[in-house]
Amino acid sequence: MFSNRSNIVVLIWAWATVTGLSQPSPFVTQTSGNLELNGHPFYFVGGNAYYLMEEAARGDTTLVKNLFATARQLGMTVIRTWGFFDSGDTLNPAVIQWRPGGFNEAALRALDYVIWQAKQSGLRLVIPLVNNWDDYGGMNQDVRWRMAQGDHNRSASEVRFTESDQQRTVLGLGGRLYRVAMSDMFGHDDFYTDVTIRNWYKSYVSVILGRVNTLTGVVYRNEPTILAWELANEPRSSDRSGVIVSGWADDVSLFLKQLDTNHLVGTGEEGFDNSVTGYSIPAYNNQLWLVDGTAGVSFTMNLALRHIDLAGIHMYPQSWGLNNNGGNIWIRDHVRMAATAGKPLVLGEFGVLVDQPATYDSWLTTVLLDGGGGALVWQLSEGARGNNDGYGIRCPGSGSVCTVLQDQARMFTEKSAGSPLSAPPEFLLFQNYPNPFNGQTTIAYALPSDANVTLSLYNSVGELVRVLVDGFQHAGTRKELLSVEWLSSGVYFYQANVQLSEGRGSSGTKKLVIVK
């Protein structure tokens, strides 16, 4: 009898192997451009809380626990948080690496705690492994360590950077910055190109991925709570071709994948490019620096890298010189490019300083309907961590924006559970809200099927003022944004012309009033 049972087990195992059946993976994976978990689609709304390891290292584990509890109450399933802190300050308990290869066990135990508490809370983590900006050490800290070695085989007479270069900084959101050059011989981009620095980075990655969590007993590379590693937070360079960053990302992503076959890998970039191909340039308000190589990174090139699983972007239209609906265009352009490459698009950071509720509702609707994998708001505040850059959200204190995030998180979760996004029965153009208004309004319309849509604004004498939407959109109730700081008070009309996928055409016109 025992022998017969053994034979049956062997036969079942053999049949499962031949037919390709296996146990669902506990890790988030990606297949054909879609995120999956346990064999089912996985879509998410979450938030950024970069400071969690630092707070845990300083003893405030209650803040970490409360932040995760708030995220769960909002229906969020993913948090993005730093997995780095490089500094020579050996007295700072939150510094992870105080010299190349020199690690602070207390800080690593704090990271252990963050991962353990996320696991207890049913959350998953996206963890960047180095900062482009000078905060928390950043890439320039490695360059300074390299400068101090004195064995870099560079002649004292070799001048690569002028005095002007050494005074120049690259600015980012909320005071983020990095110096272009630290001396006449060493600059920020040496982080990508110097062999010694690259080996230091790989050694750091090896230590982090190979660490055994002191609270769970699980090696980081085997921990399903970690959704993805990001090679860096917002990598940039002075190389307008994008080749330096792309070459670095290609090499280190291969190295990481050789160590860890379980987790997804992203670059952590913002979505900037060095080519206008694929982008809706007329909608970008003449901000060509977004796609002309100014940022020294190429989304298109990085998207093609074999060992990069996630197409990641960040988005701060108001800080980039765009109106808020430019954010919807930024999302759609990158979702389309990512889908062509067969990779899921994740909006790793997004934020505005004003009109947060309506703007986040619009952007998250676009991510949801157009097939993005997920979105992470910048940033969630908790405890003593206040609104340090104007983008902070503290729930429930932030009111209606918390409600928007909660409602959107629910819809993303329902989509993950297989609930189809219900298409409206017919085309409808809704009245904009608020109306009358001054500043920004939302224009919503219902598409019963996929369609080519043109949404235009006209003045009271019928002259075209602006085209808000001109392209393909998936079915659902869309929410586009109209910012009118540049328009005078008066009566205007918006018109939607829709060519539905089954060939039918529909249109509608509504009046709006601007009062200043």
Side-chain angles (χ1 to χ4, degrees), residues 427 448-449 451-452 496-508:
F427 168 75
S449 63
N452 287 306
N497 290 293
V498 175
Q499 189 68 32
L500 299 170
S501 58
E502 61 269 26
R504 293 186 294 112
S506 296
S507 64

Side-chain angles (χ1 to χ4, degrees), residues 48 59 152 154 156 170 196 247 250 293 312 380 391 432 446 489 492:
N48 281 268
H152 37 71
R154 296 184 185 181
V170 175
T196 297
D250 189 30
L380 299 179
Y391 294 89
N432 66 298
S489 298
Y492 295 80

Side-chain angles (χ1 to χ4, degrees), residues 243-473:
V243 170
I244 286 178
V245 172
S246 185
W248 172 82
D250 189 30
D251 180 46
V252 298
S253 62
L254 169 61
F255 176 80
L256 194 156
K257 281 291 192 178
Q258 289 172 336
L259 297 177
D260 180 355
T261 59
N262 291 319
H263 292 107
L264 300 174
V265 176
T267 61
E269 67 189 279
E270 297 155 278
F272 302 135
D273 220 323
N274 63 348
S275 169
V276 299
T277 303
Y279 294 97
S280 306
I281 297 303
Y284 288 155
N285 195 30
N286 295 318
Q287 299 298 319
L288 292 180
W289 69 271
L290 297 168
V291 292
D292 71 358
T294 294
V297 65
S298 170
F299 176 81
T300 302
M301 293 172 64
N302 296 337
L303 188 62
L305 298 179
R306 179 180 177 185
H307 301 289
I308 296 299
D309 306 299
L310 300 176
I313 62 171
H314 295 178
M315 193 171 74
Y316 297 96
Q318 290 176 353
S319 298
W320 294 350
L322 304 179
N323 59 55
N324 285 346
N325 208 57
N328 283 318
I329 308 300
W330 188 252
I331 293 168
R332 282 195 283 267
D333 282 351
H334 286 89
V335 166
R336 183 175 59 252
M337 296 166 73
T340 300
K343 297 181 180 181
L345 191 284
V346 172
L347 183 55
E349 293 183 17
F350 65 91
V352 291
L353 296 172
V354 296
D355 296 318
Q356 284 183 336
T359 302
Y360 293 172
D361 192 34
S362 174
W363 291 349
L364 290 170
T365 295
T366 297
V367 175
L368 179 71
L369 295 181
D370 288 340
L376 300 163
V377 67
W378 183 273
Q379 59 171 319
L380 299 179
S381 299
E382 186 64 48
R385 288 286 178 165
N387 188 3
N388 63 313
D389 59 7
Y391 294 89
I393 297 168
R394 187 182 298 272
C395 293
S398 295
S400 55
V401 70
C402 299
T403 302
V404 166
L405 293 172
Q406 188 171 41
D407 289 345
Q408 288 286 346
R410 174 182 50 78
M411 289 187 284
F412 275 72
T413 299
E414 289 174 352
K415 186 177 180 181
S416 298
S419 299
L421 298 175
S422 57
E426 60 182 354
F427 168 75
L428 288 173
L429 178 64
F430 299 102
Q431 185 64 52
N432 66 298
Y433 57 92
N435 189 49
F437 71 101
N438 173 21
Q440 177 176 287
T441 191
T442 299
I443 298 175
Y445 48 92
L447 299 177
S449 63
D450 296 348
N452 287 306
V453 178
T454 302
L455 178 63
S456 305
L457 180 69
Y458 297 87
N459 62 22
S460 58
V461 297
E463 296 172 329
L464 178 65
V465 175
R466 170 167 287 184
V467 176
L468 282 77
V469 176
D470 185 14
F472 175 84
Q473 291 189 331

Side-chain angles (χ1 to χ4, degrees), residues 193-256:
T193 59
D194 186 273
V195 174
T196 297
I197 295 176
R198 187 175 298 190
N199 286 335
W200 288 345
Y201 175 84
K202 289 180 178 179
S203 295
Y204 182 83
V205 169
S206 297
V207 169
I208 296 299
L209 271 59
R211 179 171 175 80
V212 178
N213 191 311
T214 55
L215 295 172
T216 67
V218 178
V219 180
Y220 280 19
R221 64 173 174 265
N222 295 330
E223 176 53 72
T225 299
I226 298 169
L227 186 155
W229 304 108
E230 289 184 342
L231 301 181
N233 174 53
E234 300 185 336
R236 294 193 191 184
S237 78
S238 299
D239 168 34
R240 297 179 73 98
S241 74
V243 170
I244 286 178
V245 172
S246 185
W248 172 82
D250 189 30
D251 180 46
V252 298
S253 62
L254 169 61
F255 176 80
L256 194 156

